[in-house]
Amino acid sequence: MNSQIEAWEEYGLTRVPVSMAPPLRYVNSYVLRGEEGITIIDPGPHTAATEAEWREFMRELKLDPKDVSSIIITHHHPDHYGLAGYLQQWSGAPVYMSHRAHEETLRMWGAASTMNEDLLKLYREHGMPADWTAQLPAHMESFMPQVNPTAEVSYIHEGDQIRMGGQSWRAIETAGHAPGHLSFYDERRGLMLCGDAVLPQISPNVSLMPGSDPQPLESFMNSLRRLEQYEVALAFPGHRRPFSHFAERISMLLKHHEERLEVIAAMLAKQPLSGFAVCTGLFGTGLGIHQMRFAMSEALAHLVELERRGYAVQIPAEGETALFVQK
Ligand SMILES: [Zn+2]
Ligand SMILES: [Zn+2]
């Protein structure tokens, strides 16, 4: 049933699962109908398959693309933002996201992007061997078709009240999983559209990326503590099914990251380690390049958090591998 359209008629909201690469398999797009028109949240990655899926969804939901009044993006990742430009050209609707998230699309895929070289340099500095780094350029390039054409973007700001599905939703900036990530809260009904800020079953990836948020884990945990303040009856996430144990899930995620920080601190107590050594110590080496990139950037996110908290210090060695040492 997971890959079926699922209507929450009492909320004017429909969950539309759009296919994407494994292991996630699909991303949740949400279609909200109200007097303001049709809002589509996070249309998915752009592939031939998702184009065909959206044609089918439009038929099934009896939607005319011209009735789409806005396309709203929670964050810049290809599985959420990717199809925005295509859907904009098809429907003529404006695409909204945060200014910071838009900056990230340019950092990742803009004409002046140096992300691919910078990421290679960062991973090399932190000890990733050549057999892995050699796979990075082609891997990073493979996302380009998923995010084209580029959307023309208008901005939503923290605290804005957005009309969707005939109700008012508050935009809340929830960075950490992605800079400028937005969640949307309907206070009257206790509904939270939380993108990838909080997911059931999956621990959202928290990645250190060059030139981006220098303390992503701190941002992520601060966002979780902010979200914990809201009364949430039902949360609509970017992946998997809607869930009601929002506060409980947030506590679990906070606990998970505290425990992982302790595990890494214990690793460093034994010996100085490179970022890559910590990464493979945590996640092993039996990963594809996609999972390895998440694992490596997640290990680095934890290491810079330990550094920020004063438990570790980084010894950058000119032309050699940087090491993290217990402080
Ligand atoms: Zn994401
Ligand atoms: Zn996602």
Side-chain angles (χ1 to χ4, degrees):
M1 281 301 282
N2 272 350
S3 59
Q4 301 297 308
I5 285 179
E6 185 179 37
W8 302 76
E9 266 154 36
E10 66 273 41
Y11 303 138
L13 182 154
T14 304
R15 184 178 73 105
V16 177
V18 179
S19 68
M20 64 178 286
L24 290 174
R25 301 191 332 276
Y26 68 90
V27 54
N28 291 327
S29 184
Y30 293 99
V31 175
L32 292 94
R33 295 171 201 245
E35 76 285 346
E36 71 288 337
I38 306 285
T39 304
I40 295 180
I41 297 182
D42 290 352
H46 190 192
T47 64
T50 61
E51 274 186 31
E53 284 170 22
W54 269 107
R55 279 194 295 274
E56 185 53 37
F57 295 148
M58 293 278 187
R59 251 195 307 276
E60 217 173 303
L61 296 170
K62 299 186 174 56
L63 289 183
D64 187 323
K66 285 191 282 302
D67 297 337
V68 177
S69 55
S70 52
I71 300 160
I72 295 183
I73 308 298
T74 59
H75 64 296
H76 75 280
H77 291 162
D79 53 326
H80 298 256
Y81 158 80
L83 204 60
Y86 173 83
L87 209 56
Q88 179 171 50
Q89 289 181 2
W90 191 17
S91 64
V95 170
Y96 295 96
M97 66 199 302
S98 75
H99 184 263
R100 186 72 180 80
H102 189 218
E103 272 179 13
E104 288 298 308
T105 66
L106 301 173
R107 189 187 316 288
M108 294 300 296
W109 311 294
S113 171
T114 55
M115 178 52 77
N116 294 3
E117 304 88 85
D118 296 347
L119 191 65
L120 204 72
K121 186 163 167 281
L122 177 77
Y123 286 2
R124 258 195 211 123
E125 270 168 22
H126 289 288
M128 185 180 270
D131 55 341
W132 282 108
T133 54
Q135 298 177 53
L136 271 176
H139 166 65
M140 296 300 282
E141 282 297 319
S142 73
F143 289 102
M144 292 302 285
Q146 290 184 29
V147 295
N148 274 317
T150 302
E152 203 173 297
V153 172
S154 309
Y155 298 130
I156 292 177
H157 305 95
E158 155 80 26
D160 283 357
Q161 293 287 343
I162 317 282
R163 292 295 294 182
M164 299 188 286
Q167 300 289 328
S168 184
W169 300 72
R170 180 191 189 79
I172 309 166
E173 188 152 344
T174 45
H177 170 72
H181 183 296
L182 292 173
S183 299
F184 298 94
Y185 182 57
D186 169 359
E187 186 175 6
R188 206 172 66 79
R189 299 175 301 177
L191 305 181
M192 185 72 85
L193 282 155
C194 52
D196 288 356
V198 185
L199 296 172
Q201 294 129 12
I202 307 160
S203 178
N205 174 249
V206 181
S207 274
L208 183 74
M209 295 293 277
S212 188
D213 185 346
Q215 292 292 349
L217 186 57
E218 181 190 24
S219 303
F220 183 70
M221 294 175 86
N222 285 342
S223 293
L224 290 180
R225 290 187 197 101
R226 273 191 84 192
L227 284 171
E228 210 172 25
Q229 312 297 315
Y230 292 87
E231 287 272 343
V232 174
L234 196 57
F236 294 93
H239 304 274
R240 303 293 183 261
R241 305 276 328 280
F243 62 107
S244 54
H245 59 297
F246 191 67
E248 189 190 324
R249 183 63 191 147
I250 288 175
S251 312
M252 282 169 72
L253 289 170
L254 285 168
K255 187 161 166 275
H256 162 74
H257 286 292
E258 288 298 344
E259 284 170 1
R260 179 153 286 168
L261 287 167
E262 279 170 28
V263 168
I264 299 173
M267 288 165 80
L268 296 182
K270 289 193 193 125
Q271 58 184 322
L273 291 169
S274 71
F276 185 73
V278 170
C279 165
T280 54
L282 290 171
F283 303 105
T285 51
L287 307 169
I289 183 63
H290 184 77
Q291 294 301 35
M292 178 53 92
R293 177 167 67 89
F294 278 11
M296 181 68 179
S297 273
E298 178 126 2
L300 291 174
H302 280 82
L303 284 161
V304 295
E305 174 63 6
L306 280 178
E307 214 180 354
R308 190 190 68 81
R309 294 188 185 188
Y311 295 115
V313 61
Q314 193 182 150
I315 305 174
E318 280 288 317
E320 291 169 48
T321 300
L323 290 176
F324 289 88
V325 181
Q326 187 189 35
K327 195 170 162 187

